[in-house]
Amino acid sequence: MLNPYFQQGARSEQNLVQDLINEQLRMYGVEIYYLPRKYMTENTVIREVIQSKFDDAYPLEAYIDNYDGYAENPVLLSKFGIEAQNEITLVISRERWETYIQPLMENESNVKLTTRPKEGDIVYFPLGDRLFEIKYVEHEKPFYQLQKNYVYTLRCELYRYEDEVIDTGVAEIDDELVGDNLADGTSEDGISTILGSTQTLTMVGTALTATALTSLVSGAVRYITMSNRGGGYTSPPIVGFSSAPSGGVTAVGSAIMIGGISYCNLNINANQKSVQQVDLSNPGAGYTVAPAITFTSTSGAGAAATSTIGDAVVGVITVTSGGSGYVIAPTVTFTNEVFLSGVSTAGAAATSLMSTAGIVTAIQITNAGLGYSTAPTVTIAAPTTSSTGDFIFNELVTGGTSATTARVRSWDTATNILEVGAVSGSFTVGENITGGSSGAVHELRIIDTYPPDDGFSDNYNIETEADLILDFSEANPFGTP
């Protein structure tokens, strides 16, 4: 039987111990942020959390129980990237939790537990500028001094992002999604440090019409006539022209490929194509006879073509301004055409090439025309877009057609590339993407769901090597009998 003349666990003694602990935490601790996990969607069978978010951050003092750094777990370097296995142990006041954080969390929906810290919640550690996930909460250490517990011990490990929404409104916490990045989402060494899986969306920029000009040349290639398309080409063959006479300019052209056709059993799978036509980036000059054309390739064979030359034809077309905001390559027309009298004449035709950013990069000639007296005016169609504004970090963007939502990770105004995370569905090419906070609206041109190459992981190399063994992009990956 205990001594009845001594009070073990009197309320006054317990309060004294708690006050001393609270004071020590404020003196020797650090101010962390506690982020409760909110469960948005769960699997009803195995209670798996499908979607969760962190949109509240409560400042709280904590004592760092680690005296020798982030425990002993090392940083692992594997074929799939770098994995930091840092751990940290934090001690917080039980009274501070019950009187400060618990009342605030009780009014929040989708929070599973408010009476104590919960495994799965996150703490922001300002000294390392990192997020740590709580893996275990020890609530009985020290063990019932004066018949009561006074602290919670949080055993945490470095947070591994899994597409959760983090939008606390505290800049130093939210920017952990992109690490110590530059404006384009990369670090100073050019390596992306954005957390989690993302999608790269190439958007349409602000509309601006491209411009170009040309001049007239003689003894140049007017057009190319294909006499044999060939087949089996996995990449466009190199087009070669015989050299122009002394003082002339040798023509330059490129092969335009076509797929989905069977030619002499050469195109045995979907990756193999034939030559549809040859476009001219430079029709040359000074030819007295039509130059011979060769097709050089390490894959296919059989392509053959002949050239036709002429005088007073359109020469190299120079893009003076690439414009912006193009969704598809714009049409090219020739206006103010004036021809010589008494000779054969023909109008010129050309096509444009466009970058993924929606900018016209070059114009290739399909027919250089014939018999011009003055160089015609090159007219490039205007873009049909109403894209405007700049997206801002971590705002919610929505697809106008698909209603898909996502969070902005980075936005590059120069390349019109938007990188997003926490994607709720599937975006549709051609729909408008609207920023919920910025009001920016841009049309979606290209979707790339592959993660950026961080310079360390070998995922792409592994997949490439595997395709050499068994490539299911072929019609028959086991070969053609």
Side-chain angles (χ1 to χ4, degrees):
M1 179 176 179
L2 296 176
N3 191 325
Y5 297 101
F6 288 87
Q7 295 183 358
Q8 295 189 2
R11 178 63 60 87
S12 59
E13 294 174 341
Q14 293 175 345
N15 290 342
L16 175 61
V17 174
Q18 184 72 72
D19 290 343
L20 290 174
I21 290 175
N22 292 347
E23 183 177 4
Q24 290 177 344
L25 287 174
R26 290 189 177 97
M27 292 171 59
Y28 305 117
V30 296
E31 187 174 83
I32 64 172
Y33 281 89
Y34 189 91
L35 284 66
R37 183 185 294 268
K38 296 183 179 179
Y39 298 83
M40 309 306 296
T41 308
E42 289 185 273
N43 188 306
T44 57
V45 178
I46 61 176
R47 312 302 297 175
E48 178 187 11
V49 179
I50 299 176
Q51 185 180 11
S52 60
K53 69 176 181 178
F54 302 90
D55 59 0
D56 288 322
Y58 305 115
L60 180 68
E61 63 275 4
Y63 176 75
I64 307 173
D65 203 25
N66 303 63
Y67 66 90
D68 57 350
Y70 293 111
E72 298 181 356
N73 288 327
V75 176
L76 301 180
L77 178 61
S78 70
K79 285 289 185 181
F80 301 98
I82 295 177
E83 180 181 0
Q85 295 186 326
N86 299 144
E87 297 180 354
I88 192 172
T89 302
L90 301 171
V91 179
I92 65 173
S93 167
R94 179 186 288 258
E95 183 184 64
R96 284 281 289 158
W97 177 274
E98 294 173 350
T99 60
Y100 167 50
I101 293 183
Q102 181 178 340
L104 295 174
M105 290 177 55
E106 286 177 344
N107 297 323
E108 297 288 345
S109 59
N110 303 317
V111 176
K112 293 294 185 180
L113 182 65
T114 62
T115 56
R116 68 168 179 85
K118 180 175 77 280
E119 292 81 357
D121 290 351
I122 292 177
V123 294
Y124 171 70
F125 184 58
L127 298 183
D129 192 27
R130 290 177 168 184
L131 294 173
F132 286 85
E133 183 175 358
I134 300 174
K135 290 301 182 181
Y136 179 70
V137 178
E138 174 61 69
H139 60 281
E140 293 182 313
K141 184 179 179 181
F143 193 71
Y144 293 101
Q145 291 181 340
L146 299 177
Q147 303 181 20
K148 186 179 179 181
N149 294 315
Y150 306 93
V151 297
Y152 292 111
T153 301
L154 313 180
R155 305 190 187 280
C156 313
E157 68 177 31
L158 197 63
Y159 173 59
R160 292 172 176 82
Y161 181 75
E162 295 181 356
D163 216 28
E164 294 91 349
V165 173
I166 299 180
D167 187 17
T168 64
V170 181
E172 56 265 36
I173 298 176
D174 295 342
D175 67 10
E176 290 303 302
L177 292 171
V178 292
D180 298 324
N181 281 354
L182 303 177
D184 61 354
T186 61
S187 59
E188 292 183 357
D189 55 8
I191 297 174
S192 174
T193 57
I194 294 177
L195 296 180
S197 59
T198 61
Q199 291 185 15
T200 301
L201 309 178
T202 303
M203 314 300 292
V204 176
T206 305
L208 181 63
T209 304
T211 58
L213 54 82
T214 187
S215 59
L216 298 182
V217 291
S218 293
V221 176
R222 290 181 53 206
Y223 56 85
I224 308 298
T225 303
M226 297 298 303
S227 57
N228 193 326
R229 289 179 173 176
Y233 295 101
T234 56
S235 61
I238 299 174
V239 180
F241 291 85
S242 57
S243 300
S246 178
V249 177
T250 302
V252 179
S254 57
I256 307 301
M257 310 305 291
I258 184 173
I261 64 173
S262 178
Y263 182 83
C264 296
N265 203 32
L266 290 176
N267 298 331
I268 59 176
N269 64 60
N271 289 333
Q272 296 176 330
K273 299 179 180 180
S274 298
V275 179
Q276 172 72 359
Q277 65 187 59
V278 174
D279 289 347
L280 299 166
S281 55
N282 187 337
Y287 284 106
T288 56
V289 295
I293 300 175
T294 59
F295 295 87
T296 305
S297 175
T298 58
S299 54
T306 58
S307 64
T308 300
I309 61 174
D311 295 329
V313 303
V314 169
V316 175
I317 301 176
T318 302
V319 177
T320 55
S321 173
S324 61
Y326 287 100
V327 180
I328 59 175
T331 58
V332 179
T333 56
F334 295 88
T335 58
N336 300 326
E337 294 179 302
V338 180
F339 297 97
L340 298 170
S341 60
V343 299
S344 297
T345 60
T351 59
S352 63
L353 300 180
M354 184 184 66
S355 71
T356 57
I359 299 172
V360 175
T361 57
I363 295 178
Q364 293 188 321
I365 301 169
T366 56
N367 190 323
L370 181 65
Y372 283 102
S373 62
T374 58
T377 301
V378 181
T379 301
I380 303 174
T384 56
T385 179
S386 57
S387 297
T388 183
D390 292 322
F391 297 105
I392 59 178
F393 168 71
N394 213 30
E395 74 169 324
L396 189 70
V397 294
T398 306
T401 302
S402 64
T404 299
T405 61
R407 293 276 175 173
V408 175
R409 294 293 174 262
S410 66
W411 165 247
D412 192 324
T413 56
T415 60
N416 298 318
I417 291 179
L418 174 67
E419 192 161 2
V420 295
V423 182
S424 67
S426 299
F427 288 107
T428 303
V429 173
E431 69 177 338
N432 284 333
I433 306 297
T434 304
S437 300
S438 65
V441 179
H442 288 264
E443 187 174 344
L444 176 57
R445 291 191 58 252
I446 301 173
I447 302 175
D448 183 8
T449 58
Y450 287 96
D453 186 359
D454 62 5
F456 295 97
S457 58
D458 289 336
N459 304 51
Y460 291 120
N461 295 334
I462 293 173
E463 181 178 0
T464 301
E465 294 299 323
D467 287 343
L468 296 178
I469 301 173
L470 193 64
D471 186 1
F472 281 94
S473 64
E474 298 180 356
N476 183 353
F478 302 99
T480 301

